[in-house]
Amino acid sequence: MPDEQMANSSGQSPAAPAPAPPPPAARPLDTIDRSILRMLQTDGRASIRSVAERVHVSRANAYARINRLIDDGVIRGFSALIDQERAGQGASAYITLKIVQNSWRTVRKQLTALPGATHIALVSGDFDVLLLVHTKDNRELRELVLTRIQSIPEVLSTRTLLVFEETDLGPEDD
């Protein structure tokens, strides 16, 4: 008899492992934390020294605050803003998907593996998922939608909205 089907010494089946506890809530942010976040959104490569000078705290304080924001999950990472067209991704589209009820986790896993997928959101309204993709051209976009996305069994329907122009919005100016 496989181990998972064996009863424990009291004759009961073993219990399923306990789910991981939720992460602790992030600590409240003060005006200095918010200033640091705005600055890093504008320039993720800013030095600790320049952050400290800009928000008027010591370098040690700025370093500790940034590490706390990372540890609390407020800062999830650092990345570059890419001009998709100049990077050879000349076609962009938002794709809306209607999916089978309760299939979000399965669909999300498959969508994250798609080439060119840059943002995925579970939303409310007339559709269930909003997906942003960047591809080399419309032919590659067509192939992505018709072959890859529509072949996911839990995807009931899609609608593709071509992006003619886009602008990334940054944090508000101080």
Side-chain angles (χ1 to χ4, degrees):
M1 177 181 285
D3 290 344
E4 61 269 12
Q5 293 178 351
M6 291 176 37
N8 65 19
S9 60
S10 65
Q12 298 174 347
S13 296
R27 291 167 270 200
L29 304 181
D30 62 17
T31 56
I32 293 172
D33 292 330
R34 292 188 191 289
S35 294
I36 290 171
L37 291 174
R38 275 193 306 278
M39 187 172 180
L40 291 176
Q41 283 179 295
T42 302
D43 180 6
R45 295 174 40 169
S47 70
I48 296 292
R49 190 183 108 238
S50 65
V51 170
E53 288 173 0
R54 179 94 183 261
V55 299
H56 309 293
V57 297
S58 70
R59 278 185 278 173
N61 189 330
Y63 183 80
R65 283 174 178 267
I66 291 170
N67 280 335
R68 179 178 51 87
L69 292 166
I70 292 169
D71 292 344
D72 285 355
V74 175
I75 295 176
R76 296 183 297 160
F78 297 87
S79 64
L81 295 175
I82 307 297
D83 181 318
Q84 296 296 334
E85 194 168 351
R86 292 180 65 97
Q89 302 294 317
S92 297
Y94 284 96
I95 303 167
T96 65
L97 296 84
K98 288 186 181 182
I99 61 174
V100 172
Q101 189 173 8
N102 296 321
S103 65
W104 164 240
R105 286 177 181 83
T106 302
V107 172
R108 178 182 56 196
K109 184 176 181 181
Q110 293 174 75
L111 294 176
T112 58
L114 292 175
T118 59
H119 185 84
I120 303 166
L122 179 65
V123 297
S124 65
D126 292 338
F127 48 88
D128 304 305
V129 178
L130 183 62
L131 171 67
L132 175 60
V133 297
H134 302 284
T135 61
K136 181 176 114 183
D137 53 29
N138 283 345
R139 173 176 283 177
E140 194 174 288
L141 176 61
R142 187 180 118 244
E143 188 67 23
L144 182 73
V145 173
L146 298 179
T147 304
R148 301 284 300 271
I149 296 173
Q150 291 184 355
S151 70
I152 298 171
E154 298 84 1
V155 172
L156 302 174
S157 67
T158 65
R159 174 178 271 168
T160 303
L161 308 164
L162 292 178
V163 174
F164 296 126
E165 185 177 316
E166 59 187 317
T167 302
D168 291 319
L169 302 177
E172 296 174 3
D173 293 336
D174 289 343

